Amino acid sequence: MIISGAGPVGLFLACELALAKCSVLILEKATFPDSPLKQLPFGIRGLSAPTIEALYRRDLLKELELHKRIKNPHKTSAPVQGPNRQVGHFAGIPFLEGNIDTSQWKYRLSSSTDTSLISEMDELEKVLNRRATSLGVEIRRGLAITGFHQTVDGVAVQSGDQSFQSKWLVGCDGSRSAVRKAGGFEFAGTEPEFTGYTTQLDITDPEKLSPGRNVTSKGMYMQSQPGYVLIQDFDAGAFHNSGKPITLEHVQEVLRRISNTDVTINTLHVATTWTDRSRQATTYRNGRVLLAGDAAHIHSPLGGQGLNLGLGDAMNLGWKLAATIHDKAPEGLLDSYQTERHSIGAQVLDWSRAQVAIMKPDPAARALNAIIRDLIDRRDGATYFAGRVWGIHTHYKLSSDHPLTGYSVPNFEFKDHATIGELMRDGLGILLDFDENASLKALANEYPNQIKYISGNVKEQLSLSAVLIRPDGIIAWATDKSPEDYRDLQEAATRWFISDPEIKS
């Protein structure tokens, strides 16, 4: 199994595959993993609820240190603290902690993980790199994929004068993905409205710039702390696409124009540009080649949802691809990766486009911005936007009558204080039975090494009697009745797992 790209998405996918006893090789074009941009404050990312849950379920969350140093208590179980404290934003419009009604999220328990945390790209990569290495993943740096050829049985991958053979290839190699381009994937979408600048610089007269996020008649600039400035120039992405070098003189001209000041930059340490171009591969799979993360979708980094979207791809794809590699995949299992994740990606792209639409420096955008600001100021509005930004509402459309199906399993806590999240560290599916039903245990036994049976009393049962949980933490089936007819459960189990015919007989 070959993965192109050793960023967070590629590393997390490798961890999932290796956890399922797959042999994994990562090819990474960069010789060294460190980048100056990852060290900037703009390298800090907000992790959403699904990402936090995924890291917790694989025992990785405790290794991230930054969020422990930054007070960010967004747990739904915690009392409201500092009602005027900003805990997120939509297009720069803040929503406040005191306006969020967490009681509307009825399936989040007192034992739930946080809804939002802060992490650094650099730290996250290092944590995932350590885990991947400990699981036996081979990471080879300085090897860019230059082409590949796939057959019915596998993929021959080329990197310069070196060749590698694999059953599958996954492109996790970013927005300019060589795998996507070589694989002929269509990358459809919309063109940018602005060029964004991320900079570290020294300013002679920093008092001329206001702190925080500042929307002006010509764009936006944000000074998170002295010396770190982010700028949005609504030039339809012209400078980013020009290929011109980012000089001190150019950044100063843009910053002066956007801020309407005569601020002076005396040193430009680091600078990069980006845009709000929004594109998505029309399919995430072509034969034995798949895409995940920015290779599959790109959009503006507003709100920091790109990292979370990519890690969600990895969590969804990992167990399905592993089952396919081990010939334990029911028909159509791998195709469900495209079905489930493409629609989630499309939602995030539209969410990004909507933010850009109300940030443009024109009267129509200002009118829309005022309306959205009024909505976010209200309790239901703030709760809705927080739920979207934090991924609370992430849901797959699975066939089942119970309203929890397709959502992330609540973090049930047992009487001995163990949680369901802690019991998912081995990457297996779980049949969780609150009534100790012998028939359910017998059914789970039909799927050895795929589904484990767990029973016991929990502190908050949510009126449920049994739940079937996929390896990625998604509920495949649930009931609030003592099941007498197991056909729905059996159908759900055979949809996601393959039974052992000898045990079944």
Side-chain angles (χ1 to χ4, degrees):
M1 172 71 233
I2 293 178
I3 295 172
S4 175
V9 177
L11 288 168
F12 193 37
L13 176 60
C15 290
E16 287 296 286
L17 290 164
L19 183 64
K21 311 301 181 187
C22 297
S23 175
V24 185
L25 168 65
I26 299 179
L27 300 179
E28 165 57 48
K29 67 178 180 180
T31 305
F32 303 104
D34 298 325
S35 164
L37 292 172
K38 295 176 185 176
Q39 312 302 324
L40 299 181
F42 302 116
I44 294 175
R45 293 289 184 269
L47 303 181
S48 65
T51 298
I52 296 165
E53 289 169 347
L55 295 173
Y56 173 68
R57 290 165 183 164
R58 298 301 187 254
D59 202 26
L60 288 162
L61 188 60
K62 66 183 182 183
E63 297 187 39
L64 296 174
E65 294 293 330
L66 181 63
H67 72 86
K68 300 174 187 176
R69 302 195 300 269
I70 299 179
K71 189 176 181 181
N72 193 27
H74 299 167
K75 290 190 71 170
T76 58
S77 59
V80 172
Q81 299 180 24
N84 294 322
R85 189 171 68 90
Q86 179 180 338
V87 290
H89 74 89
F90 177 80
I93 304 170
F95 46 84
L96 307 179
E97 187 171 38
N99 273 350
I100 299 170
D101 180 10
T102 59
S103 67
Q104 295 186 23
W105 306 332
K106 61 181 180 178
Y107 293 122
R108 292 196 66 79
L109 306 176
S110 58
S111 52
S112 294
T113 51
D114 295 84
T115 53
S116 173
L117 286 176
I118 296 299
S119 184
E120 291 174 317
M121 286 283 287
D122 183 56
E123 179 189 38
L124 182 60
E125 279 192 21
K126 288 177 179 175
V127 166
L128 291 170
N129 190 87
R130 285 198 302 268
R131 173 60 61 86
T133 302
S134 71
L135 289 169
V137 174
E138 182 182 1
I139 304 172
R140 300 188 61 175
R141 300 185 181 276
L143 291 175
I145 288 183
T146 53
F148 61 83
H149 173 72
Q150 64 171 311
T151 65
V152 174
D153 299 318
V155 186
V157 178
Q158 200 71 27
S159 176
D161 58 358
Q162 297 188 56
S163 183
F164 304 89
Q165 300 293 324
S166 177
K167 292 289 186 183
W168 297 87
L169 170 64
V170 183
C172 301
D173 47 348
S175 60
R176 295 173 178 157
S177 171
V179 173
R180 186 186 66 235
K181 294 173 182 177
F185 289 85
E186 182 182 359
F187 205 42
T190 53
E191 291 305 304
E193 299 283 351
F194 65 77
T195 293
Y197 298 80
T198 299
T199 66
Q200 179 186 11
L201 38 73
D202 293 336
I203 301 176
T204 303
D205 40 12
E207 70 280 357
K208 292 183 178 179
L209 297 179
S210 300
R213 185 183 299 268
N214 299 272
V215 178
T216 73
S217 61
K218 297 178 182 178
M220 186 279 296
Y221 73 92
M222 182 176 73
Q223 186 174 215
S224 62
Q225 55 184 274
Y228 298 98
V229 178
L230 184 148
I231 312 168
Q232 281 176 269
D233 183 13
F234 282 83
D235 64 347
F239 182 80
H240 177 82
N241 294 329
S242 70
K244 295 178 180 178
I246 311 171
T247 64
L248 181 153
E249 291 75 18
H250 174 74
V251 173
Q252 178 169 277
E253 183 277 320
V254 173
L255 182 56
R256 284 180 170 180
R257 174 163 46 82
I258 299 299
S259 66
N260 195 30
T261 68
D262 60 354
V263 63
T264 299
I265 300 172
N266 57 54
T267 307
L268 181 64
H269 297 287
V270 180
T272 188
T273 62
W274 40 276
T275 74
D276 59 309
R277 177 181 285 108
S278 296
R279 292 188 176 277
Q280 185 177 27
T282 54
T283 179
Y284 287 4
R285 179 186 175 189
N286 177 5
R288 290 183 170 271
V289 181
L290 299 108
L291 303 176
D294 287 352
H297 40 69
I298 59 169
H299 58 87
S300 162
L302 296 171
Q305 290 195 312
L307 173 63
N308 293 292
L309 182 60
L311 293 174
D313 291 344
M315 191 69 166
N316 186 284
L317 175 59
W319 71 278
K320 296 174 180 177
L321 184 53
T324 302
I325 291 170
H326 293 311
D327 293 323
K328 291 288 186 180
E331 183 178 355
L333 178 66
L334 194 54
D335 291 335
S336 71
Y337 168 61
Q338 156 79 18
T339 304
E340 294 177 354
R341 294 305 297 175
H342 193 276
S343 60
I344 299 294
Q347 291 172 17
V348 171
L349 262 65
D350 280 346
W351 186 257
S352 173
R353 292 183 183 112
Q355 292 184 76
V356 175
I358 68 171
M359 296 179 80
K360 295 169 68 174
D362 61 45
R366 283 194 289 272
L368 285 171
N369 191 295
I371 293 171
I372 297 298
R373 188 175 295 273
D374 186 48
L375 288 173
I376 290 179
D377 232 10
R378 300 167 188 265
R379 196 161 176 80
D380 283 349
T383 304
Y384 167 78
F385 279 92
R388 284 289 301 266
V389 170
W390 294 341
I392 304 297
H393 304 306
T394 300
H395 172 245
Y396 301 136
K397 296 179 180 178
L398 307 184
S399 56
S400 175
D401 294 333
H402 197 279
L404 253 179
T405 305
Y407 284 95
S408 178
V409 63
N411 194 35
F412 295 108
E413 184 178 2
F414 294 84
K415 298 298 184 181
D416 64 358
H417 302 296
T419 65
I420 195 64
E422 293 169 345
L423 298 174
M424 297 184 67
R425 291 174 181 172
D426 56 11
L428 297 178
I430 293 176
L431 181 53
L432 180 58
D433 177 14
F434 299 125
D435 297 334
E436 299 186 9
N437 189 318
S439 297
L440 292 185
K441 184 175 183 179
L443 188 147
N445 288 339
E446 295 176 10
Y447 300 85
N449 303 315
Q450 296 179 82
I451 299 176
K452 61 182 179 181
Y453 173 82
I454 296 175
S455 65
N457 295 320
V458 295
K459 295 180 179 180
E460 299 172 88
Q461 192 168 323
L462 299 175
S463 301
L464 293 163
S465 62
V467 177
L468 178 64
I469 310 165
R470 302 189 327 191
D472 58 355
I474 298 300
I475 293 179
W477 170 88
T479 184
D480 51 14
K481 303 172 183 177
S482 295
E484 298 176 358
D485 184 346
Y486 299 102
R487 282 179 295 182
D488 287 349
L489 171 57
Q490 188 73 66
E491 289 175 5
T494 55
R495 171 70 183 87
W496 303 109
F497 307 96
I498 285 185
S499 62
D500 187 321
E502 292 184 6
I503 296 175
K504 193 171 184 178
S505 62

